[in-house]
Each structure stands twice: as C-alpha cells, then as structure tokens.
C-alpha cells in the first residue's frame, strides 16, 4: 500500500494546482468513515456513518482547505497569512504556515476560543491577536487588513479553502463505494456545507447527489432565521457566528439538494457530545456534535431518516477540554486493590 500523500497530491487532478504549486502536506485527509454502533439504534431505517474529521493533522476538517490555501499563497509569493477564527481555522493556519515557512497572524474573538485551539495557534508560532469583538467583526477586520497590508487571507472567503474542503465529499463516495443519501453537518460560517455540495456536484450526476442537512445552534442560527444574529450565543464556540460569509452557498446546497437546515439547543448538543464519547468512543468538540444532535432531534420528532446517512464530525474533543468539566472528576482512593474493588463494587479474589 502506498502511503497517503495528503490532499494536494491525492486530488491533484480535481484541484486548482499545477507543477508550480509547492507540494505542501501534513498528510491531511483520508479520514476514517466510522460506522455507528449506538446512535444508529435511534435511526432504524438508516445506515449511519461518521466522517471523523478530528483525525486530520490539527484535529479538524480545516486542514483540507488550509493546505491548498497556504500552498497557493506560497506559490503567489506571499510572506504572511492572516485569518479570523473561532479557533480551528487559526490552529490549522498556524500549523501549515509553520510548515511552509510563512508568518501567520490570527485574530481571535476574546475569551471565545477553546483552550486547545488557542494552544495550537501559540505553539505553532502564530502571532495571536485577541480582539474585543465577535467573530463576525474580526472577519471584517482581517478582510480589510489583508488588502491594506498585502497578507494572504486564509479564511474560507479564500476560494482555495473550499476547493480543498470539497475533497471530503470525494472520500465519502469512495469509502462507501457509492453516494450516501444524506450528509449532515454543523454550520457556522457556512463554508463547509458549500464545499461538500461542490464536491458532490463534481463527483456525481444530479440524480445521485445526497441531500445536505445543515445544523446550527439555536442561539446562533442566522440561516434558520433568515437574518443575521447580532449577538450569537452557544456552548459550541466554533459555530458561534451570526453572519455566515458563505450564506448563499449554504442556502444553495440545501435547496438544490432537497435538504434542510434547522437548529438544535445547547442541551441537545451536549447530550449528543456525551453520547458520542460514551457510546461510540468518539470525543468530538461541541460544534461537531451538532450534526448528531440534529439527527437525534429528527428521530425524536418521528421523522423517518432513511438510507445511508453520513454525519460529519468536524473537530476533535481534545480541542475543548472544558467539555470534560461536566463529567465525573477523578475519585481519590488509597493505592490498594481493595480500594479499586470498592470503586467497581466487586469483591477481590483471595491472595496476591
Ligand atoms: N465545526 C467546527 C469544529 C468548526 O471549527 C467550524 C468552523 C464548523 C464546524 C463550521 O464550519 O464555518 O464552514 O460552517 N470553524 C471556523 C473557525 C469558523 O474559525 O475555525 P463552517
């Protein structure tokens, strides 16, 4: 078996790259499609899989698009890249910029980025700017800064980002040996749902494309409400976004595919996150659990979810270790077998 080369090389014929594009790679992509063992029981008419994007090098789907955006920035002679981020884009930009030898400036909404993501941006050597405003305002700021300071913008407004992210759709079709019926994913700035739909449109004839189901958090659901949200609120900080940059792309993906866009509560998100961790063995960050929370909501409402369903798990739970605060703390015991047996409520065998 040949080693996986990463997104740029694996999909060279379907990406806007040439011989002049530097062969940047952290071996991103090729993430597992994991069959569900527990959540699937709530969806008896469906065959449910998780596309585990937390398995990417920096722990989120952003790496697929970032490798293309940073390689193209290098090709164009850029010295530095810039992004605004709720955290994952920043972590990915910092890692790929480090690999490419570019400077990286990330602009983060103050106090609104999960600890692991912030650590990633810092250790990879990015300049980390914290601003006292929302993600949406930070994005406006970096758009202007990228123009006036001649920095390469690597938010999903950069067309190469979505080009890279569409490769997840190609992988799903390959891994299943055919198209799924439904793909469900969390929606924040709306780049990813736009990119998946582009991928499916390129890979499949119209009658074989899956429905795209987008899930937002109730307190940050501009696409569901049909208007921007000035002060988005949700425990899922990655998708705490009130004015999605790819608004039209998301609406087109949902309407052209005959899909749906709807919102779930923070409680539903946290419940889905706990269930994925405790019953599927998959630790995802809260935003990523929104896709599964959406499926569970529909199942509870009696909606029959049919066919092959892929829920995209966009980011690793280790990025947001505060998620664990809601679970039991370690129990202090004496270092004896008897103490451990008492904890397990079993009787130890004699001797030893
Ligand atoms: N899931 C995770 C883990 C994310 O980090 C994001 C977005 C999304 C879902 C939503 O994807 O924006 O394409 O609709 N994170 C961005 C960031 C905004 O800055 O890291 P989207």
């Amino acid at each position: 078996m040949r080693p996986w080369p990463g997104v740029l090389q694996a999909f060279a014929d379907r990406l806007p790259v040439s011989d002049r594009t530097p062969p940047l790679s952290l071996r991103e992509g090729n993430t597992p499609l994991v069959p569900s063992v527990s959540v699937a029981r709530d969806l008896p008419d469906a065959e449910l899989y998780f596309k585990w994007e937390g398995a990417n090098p920096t722990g989120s789907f952003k790496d697929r698009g970032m490798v293309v955006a940073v390689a193209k920035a290098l090709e164009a002679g850029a010295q530095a890249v810039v992004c605004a981020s709720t955290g994952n884009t920043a972590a990915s930009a910092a890692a790929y910029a480090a690999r490419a030898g570019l400077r990286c400036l990330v602009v983060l909404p103050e106090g609104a980025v999960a600890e692991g993501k912030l650590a990633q941006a810092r250790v990879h050597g990015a300049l980390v700017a914290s601003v006292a405003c929302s993600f949406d305002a930070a994005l406006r700021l970096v758009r202007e800064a990228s123009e006036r300071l001649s920095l390469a913008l690597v938010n999903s407004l950069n067309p190469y980002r979505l080009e890279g992210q569409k490769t997840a759709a190609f992988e799903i079709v390959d891994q299943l040996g055919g198209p799924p019926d439904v793909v469900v994913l969390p929606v924040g700035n709306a780049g990813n749902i736009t990119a998946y739909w582009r991928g499916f449109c390129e890979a499949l004839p119209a009658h074989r494309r899956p429905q795209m189901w987008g899930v937002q958090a109730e307190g940050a659901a501009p696409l569901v409400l049909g208007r921007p949200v000035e002060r988005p609120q949700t425990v899922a900080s990655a998708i705490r976004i009130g004015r999605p940059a790819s608004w039209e792309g998301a609406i087109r993906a949902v309407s052209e595919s005959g899909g749906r866009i709807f919102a779930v509560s923070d409680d539903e998100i946290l419940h889905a996150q706990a269930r994925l961790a405790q019953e599927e063995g998959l630790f995802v960050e809260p935003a990523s659990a929104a896709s599964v929370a959406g499926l569970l909501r529909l199942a509870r409402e009696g909606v029959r979810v049919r066919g092959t369903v892929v829920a995209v798990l966009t980011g690793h739970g280790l990025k947001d270790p505060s998620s664990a605060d809601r679970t039991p703390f370690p129990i202090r015991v004496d270092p004896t077998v008897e103490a451990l047996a008492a904890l397990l409520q079993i009787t130890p065998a004699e001797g030893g």
Side-chain angles (χ1 to χ4, degrees):
M1 212 165 73
R2 290 222 314 277
W4 175 258
V7 158
L8 277 183
Q9 278 161 279
F11 300 105
D13 55 338
R14 295 188 263 183
L15 290 172
V17 293
S18 70
D19 298 346
R20 290 186 309 281
T21 312
L24 187 63
S25 172
L26 285 171
R27 304 301 189 257
E28 60 292 317
N30 195 27
T31 57
L33 192 66
V34 183
S36 167
V37 291
S38 166
V39 177
R41 286 199 288 270
D42 294 42
L43 308 168
D45 303 310
E47 197 179 321
L48 176 63
Y49 294 88
F50 302 116
K51 182 64 172 163
W52 180 216
E53 290 289 278
N56 276 298
T58 76
S60 86
F61 70 96
K62 305 286 181 179
D63 296 342
R64 294 178 182 278
M66 199 56 73
V67 70
V68 186
V70 173
K72 295 301 280 189
L74 261 184
E75 183 181 339
Q79 304 291 313
V81 299
V82 66
C83 66
S85 180
T86 57
N88 282 322
T89 296
S92 187
Y96 283 89
R99 183 94 179 171
L102 294 175
R103 300 182 75 198
C104 178
L105 170 64
V106 306
V107 180
L108 308 179
E110 193 173 85
V113 170
E115 200 183 322
K117 304 173 190 180
L118 191 56
Q120 288 179 287
R122 293 170 58 195
V123 294
H124 288 304
L127 276 169
V128 182
S130 168
V131 288
C133 62
S134 65
F135 166 81
D136 303 285
L139 185 57
R140 275 198 294 277
L141 171 66
V142 298
R143 284 176 87 157
E144 191 183 336
S146 70
E147 280 169 27
R148 291 184 39 198
L149 309 177
S150 296
L151 310 168
L153 181 70
V154 295
N155 278 104
S156 55
L157 294 159
N158 177 325
Y160 298 123
R161 279 278 313 279
L162 298 193
E163 282 294 304
Q165 283 172 215
K166 77 183 179 189
T167 61
F170 301 158
E171 287 180 16
I172 289 172
V173 176
D174 282 352
Q175 288 169 315
L176 289 171
D181 296 294
V182 172
V183 173
V184 47
L185 68 182
V187 175
N189 216 19
N192 211 27
I193 193 169
T194 305
Y196 267 76
W197 182 238
R198 184 184 298 172
F200 287 122
C201 287
E202 288 181 14
L204 301 164
H207 68 283
R208 300 187 68 207
R209 294 172 193 157
Q211 289 184 14
M212 304 301 299
W213 293 5
V215 186
Q216 299 207 283
E218 270 172 9
L223 294 167
V224 180
L225 297 170
R227 58 175 163 75
V229 173
E230 286 312 322
R231 283 189 187 73
Q233 287 301 335
T234 167
V235 65
S237 59
I239 53 172
R240 197 179 288 149
I241 293 173
R243 262 175 211 276
S246 298
W247 189 299
E248 287 82 22
I251 297 299
R252 212 176 311 121
V254 170
S255 66
E256 288 180 7
S257 73
R260 60 174 92 209
I261 183 129
F262 60 107
V264 293
S265 70
D266 279 2
D267 279 351
E268 288 174 282
I269 288 172
L270 295 175
H271 171 78
Q273 185 197 25
R275 189 146 169 210
L276 282 166
Q278 292 167 19
E279 297 174 23
E280 300 277 6
L282 294 166
F283 182 21
V284 304
E285 63 169 290
S288 306
S291 52
V292 173
L295 288 173
L296 291 172
R297 151 81 69 98
L298 295 178
R300 249 193 343 272
E301 286 174 349
V303 175
R304 292 215 117 152
V305 181
R306 293 175 198 278
T308 306
V309 178
V310 175
V312 182
L313 304 181
T314 47
H316 206 292
L318 288 171
K319 285 169 166 286
D320 194 353
S322 68
S323 311
D325 293 351
R326 285 175 290 269
T327 57
F329 281 93
I331 301 161
R332 190 157 200 277
V333 297
D334 291 334
T336 64
V337 172
E338 286 68 28
L340 300 181
L343 213 55
L344 288 162
Q345 297 181 317
I346 55 179
T347 317
E350 291 296 314

